[in-house]
Structure formats: C-alpha cells, structure tokens
Amino acid sequence: MNKHSSRYIFVALDHGISMGAIDGLHDMGKTLGKILDGPVDFLVVNKGTFRRCRDVIGETRCFINISAAYRNSLEKVLIATPQEVAAMGAYGVSVHINLGNEHQSNMLRDLGSTVEQCARLNLKLLAMMYHRSHGQNGEVVELRDPETLSHLCTVAAELGADFVKIAAPNPVSGLNEFAHSC
C-alpha cells in the first residue's frame, strides 16, 4: 500500500454475480496473477473468488463484497456477513448500495447495520454508492452529476464507511470538488 499518499488503487473483480463470466473473469487465478504484478493496493472480490484464489491473492488487502443482485435488479441483498469475512481473514467488507429507487430503504438499513458490525470486528468498510432507478422502458438509469455523487459520498461517510466508491462523474471535472466533502 502507498503509505505516503491518500490515493489508492482498487481493482474491483466482483462483477461475476451481476454480469456473469465477462472477459477476464473466466480464469480468475490468471487474471489476479496479472493484476497483482502491478501497483495494486486493494482488491474487491466475491467470497468464492477469495476462497478459491487465496494462494494467488497472498497478502494483498481484499474487500469481500457481501451484497449481490442478478443482472439488472436494483435491489442488492446481503449474501454474507462481516463475521464471515472476518473468519476468512479478509481486510474488509464491501457493500453495494443503489439509492434513488424503491429499494433504497432496505439497502440503507443494511449499510448501517454492516458499518456497526465492521466496527466491532475491526474490519474496514467500502461503500459502493450509486444512484440507479428504472426508466420508462425498464432500463437502468444512473445519475452521475456532481451534486448527486456528492450526496452519495456524504451518505456513505455519515453512515460510517471508511472508503467510498462511486461511478465517474459527468463531467469528470467535478470529482475533485466533492471528494473532499466526505
């Protein structure tokens, strides 16, 4: 980890549940081997990958994503616990939250509960925050304006997340403005 900066490189490889075996996820051990040849500070993986590829991951700090949904579902549900992550020896927990839809109350409750459990277990928490809803034709619509993303960061920080992941803002120039807000 880069100890002289507050900037880190996270590599997220937790897309298999929602997106299937996309390119690069067919042979996770090989993919991880290539990625870990570079300057990676943290990985974000699912618990199955962590267990199967522990020997490749080695001492790399990993966040285990404990929330999931199939394909375009907006409702992420908890599929593991911070206690399970602690028992596996991972660095922290990752939770995916979609706000701006009818499921947001459940996901906010889950985030709040997960923050408390992580604090008790001395695990770091990464909140992956998105503003997603369904459009008129059923497609997933995501807001990426700086004001919305700033609000997402604030929600995560106020609930106690140690790290926040958001989508790239549109325009990208807005990122620096609100990164300091949390």
Side-chain angles (χ1 to χ4, degrees):
M1 180 175 3
N2 184 350
K3 297 183 186 317
H4 303 290
S5 173
S6 59
R7 295 178 186 204
Y8 302 102
I9 297 175
F10 284 72
V11 177
L13 298 168
D14 61 334
H15 300 85
I17 294 172
S18 61
M19 298 175 72
I22 59 177
D23 286 344
L25 298 185
H26 293 290
D27 186 343
M28 192 62 81
K30 182 178 177 183
T31 300
L32 282 165
K34 289 180 180 180
I35 289 168
L36 294 175
D37 279 342
V40 175
D41 295 305
F42 300 101
L43 292 172
V44 182
V45 297
N46 292 311
K47 63 184 178 177
T49 296
F50 187 80
R51 287 182 176 139
R52 283 189 313 277
C53 300
R54 191 72 176 119
D55 58 329
V56 178
I57 291 169
E59 297 300 313
T60 304
R61 295 178 183 195
C62 286
F63 287 89
I64 306 297
N65 186 357
I66 66 166
S67 55
Y70 184 72
R71 299 208 186 256
N72 290 331
S73 175
L74 296 176
E75 183 178 20
K76 299 290 184 171
V77 297
L78 297 181
I79 48 88
T81 65
Q83 291 80 3
E84 185 178 358
V85 171
M88 291 174 12
Y91 178 77
V93 168
S94 172
V95 178
H96 181 130
I97 306 296
N98 290 324
L99 299 181
N101 64 72
E102 66 273 14
H103 307 292
Q104 69 183 6
S105 296
N106 293 334
M107 288 181 277
L108 282 171
R109 181 191 61 237
D110 289 346
L111 177 58
S113 173
T114 302
V115 166
E116 188 274 330
Q117 293 173 57
C118 286
R120 275 191 287 113
L121 295 165
N122 199 29
L123 292 170
K124 297 297 182 186
L125 182 98
L126 167 65
M128 300 185 294
M129 305 294 292
Y130 300 92
H131 189 287
R132 292 180 176 162
S133 60
H134 283 118
Q136 292 180 351
N137 297 326
E139 76 281 7
V140 174
V141 177
E142 183 173 347
L143 297 182
R144 293 182 173 202
D145 60 280
E147 183 179 341
T148 298
L149 295 177
S150 177
H151 193 176
L152 294 174
C153 287
T154 300
V155 169
E158 291 296 326
L159 288 176
D162 298 294
F163 297 92
V164 181
K165 175 189 175 206
I166 56 168
N170 186 10
V172 172
S173 61
L175 180 61
N176 195 38
E177 287 177 30
F178 63 84
H180 298 288
S181 70
C182 64

